[in-house]
Amino acid sequence: MSAARSDDDPDLAQVLGTGAAGRSSGVNAEVSLESAYRACRAIAAEHGRTYFLATRLLSADRRPAVHALYAFARIVDDIVDHADQSLVRAADSPESLDIFGQDPANELDLIEKQLRTALEHGAFAAQDTAVPLLRTQILSALADTVDRFAIDPEHFWTFLDSMRMDVPGAHRFRDRYATMAELREYMRGSAAAIGLQLLPVLGTVVPTAEAEPAAAALGEAFQLTNFLRDVAEDLDRGRVYLPADHLAAFGVDADLIAHCRRTGHTDPRLRRALAHLIAINRDIYRTADPGIDLLNPKVRPAIRAAAALYAEILDRIERSGYAIFRTRAIVPRRRRLLVATTQLLAAALP
């Protein structure tokens, strides 16, 4: 996906302030804040389709910040996704770990150190020429976003701690969750923290602290929907992001899920467990929904659209007969556009 500006892109130089096109982000002389934000936009457009579409409903001054937050989460997620592959390669050849140049646990430590440096100095100045240009762009855009919108850095450390739970060999690693409480501990960093990062960018009509519980709940709702949609994909990586105690209540264990994956058939016991967890997921969406009214009125259509589209994934899982091992539940592009347009028009009505 090209980062070049299309006709409907915001003029970043105006959004970021006079001279942004030429102002250095602190990375090196040829990298500007404008180019850093454009790199983040390209990542969001390429990898976060529903997310990116929802951001199109935001005002031009907020969009770049949301893209920067997404891009940072994405590169961290990529480190985690390569963790299993890197361990296999390391066993065969210790000199060849992964595409990031070292093992994922150390890479997460490094990116935290780099982000702390970027936040301290207001930009990321790469001292090591081996640091990829894309990372320096993302860290600089993120540092600018954190400063511009006064985002609490603690939300990023919480996020990174949860990501360490996904890395084999890390001291916090988990590939199974015995209870919903354990899963929520993971989601506190992997999802709720994302909602809390976004909140100052979106803006609120009440003190930020009053809107935080609903923002955290919405992040958790999105994450649980992902887990329900991606059971097969996660299982292929050796992970089960569904609480074992809730599954056991319906006679489901890890062996049964593995059997379903092999056969491509969702056992009736697992269908009942999924129906139960979908009901829990919908309850979290209901908990989060009143919080949308606490946001700046201009951003409400985007958040309502994102919530509606993610919740529709649950509908599609049900309509498929819970065939999560045969098909990945997605919301078609035409439907996504319809929901986004409907929310925008509803917001425009008196």
Side-chain angles (χ1 to χ4, degrees):
M1 176 67 68
S2 171
R5 183 167 70 91
S6 62
D7 291 341
D8 60 347
D9 282 341
D11 186 334
L12 275 172
Q14 292 182 354
V15 170
L16 300 175
T18 304
R23 189 167 74 246
S24 171
S25 65
V27 178
N28 51 48
E30 64 269 13
V31 176
S32 67
L33 267 177
E34 184 176 357
S35 67
Y37 274 110
R38 290 205 190 286
C40 294
R41 181 192 184 280
I43 292 171
E46 179 71 19
H47 299 287
R49 295 177 184 178
T50 297
Y51 190 92
F52 182 74
L53 178 61
T55 65
R56 303 297 293 162
L57 301 178
L58 296 176
S59 59
D61 60 320
R62 291 181 172 88
R63 261 179 254 155
V66 176
H67 295 157
L69 291 170
Y70 178 88
F72 177 72
R74 179 73 196 190
I75 61 168
V76 171
D77 195 50
D78 282 346
I79 292 171
V80 172
D81 282 348
H82 284 85
D84 297 323
Q85 298 174 34
S86 70
L87 285 181
V88 171
R89 281 196 286 271
D92 294 336
S93 173
E95 293 78 20
S96 176
L97 282 172
D98 74 80
I99 62 171
F100 298 96
Q102 59 181 299
D103 74 88
N106 287 343
E107 191 67 20
L108 288 177
D109 291 342
L110 176 61
I111 203 167
E112 178 174 335
K113 180 180 178 181
Q114 291 169 336
L115 179 55
R116 288 182 184 273
T117 299
L119 295 181
E120 181 180 352
H121 298 289
F124 177 60
Q127 303 300 319
D128 184 350
T129 56
V131 176
L133 173 62
L134 183 59
R135 180 177 298 189
T136 63
Q137 291 174 317
I138 291 170
L139 288 172
S140 286
L142 181 63
D144 183 70
T145 289
V146 170
D147 178 67
R148 191 180 294 270
F149 291 95
I151 301 171
D152 186 350
E154 193 62 34
H155 300 320
F156 297 96
W157 319 142
T158 302
F159 167 65
L160 287 168
D161 279 346
S162 278
M163 293 302 95
R164 290 181 175 98
M165 296 170 72
D166 276 328
V167 177
H171 73 281
R172 292 177 59 85
F173 174 65
R174 284 182 183 171
D175 57 7
R176 300 289 189 275
Y177 293 85
T179 65
M180 182 61 83
E182 284 188 4
L183 185 62
R184 280 190 157 137
E185 178 193 350
Y186 172 78
M187 292 194 294
R188 185 173 71 88
S190 68
I194 301 297
L196 297 177
Q197 291 168 20
L198 279 167
L199 195 56
V201 176
L202 300 177
T204 62
V205 294
V206 297
T208 302
E210 291 184 26
E212 285 182 344
L218 188 57
E220 183 177 312
F222 288 162
Q223 180 77 93
L224 188 53
T225 298
N226 285 337
F227 291 158
L228 289 162
R229 178 193 63 196
D230 298 335
V231 171
E233 179 182 326
D234 291 333
L235 191 62
D236 290 344
R237 297 173 54 234
R239 314 285 200 276
V240 177
Y241 292 105
L242 300 177
D245 58 344
H246 284 250
L247 296 175
F250 296 88
V252 177
D253 59 17
D255 289 340
L256 179 60
I257 297 174
H259 173 74
C260 293
R261 177 56 171 154
R262 287 193 300 272
T263 63
H265 174 71
T266 306
D267 184 278
R269 290 166 291 179
L270 181 55
R271 284 203 296 270
R272 289 192 289 270
L274 291 171
H276 164 71
L277 289 168
I278 284 174
I280 289 176
N281 199 168
R282 287 195 174 117
D283 189 55
I284 300 172
Y285 278 111
R286 283 191 290 271
T287 297
D289 185 67
I292 297 176
D293 289 331
L294 304 181
L295 299 176
N296 185 308
K298 292 182 179 180
V299 308
R300 292 173 193 167
I303 305 306
R304 289 197 192 284
L309 289 169
Y310 256 87
E312 191 165 317
I313 292 172
L314 302 177
D315 299 337
R316 292 177 180 271
I317 292 173
E318 290 174 325
R319 279 187 230 140
S320 74
Y322 304 95
I324 55 174
F325 301 102
R326 292 186 178 179
T327 183
R328 191 171 190 262
I330 61 171
V331 180
R333 177 175 173 78
R334 181 177 295 180
R335 175 62 181 164
R336 296 199 305 267
L337 289 171
L338 176 61
V339 170
T341 302
T342 300
Q343 290 296 334
L344 192 60
L345 291 175
L349 294 176

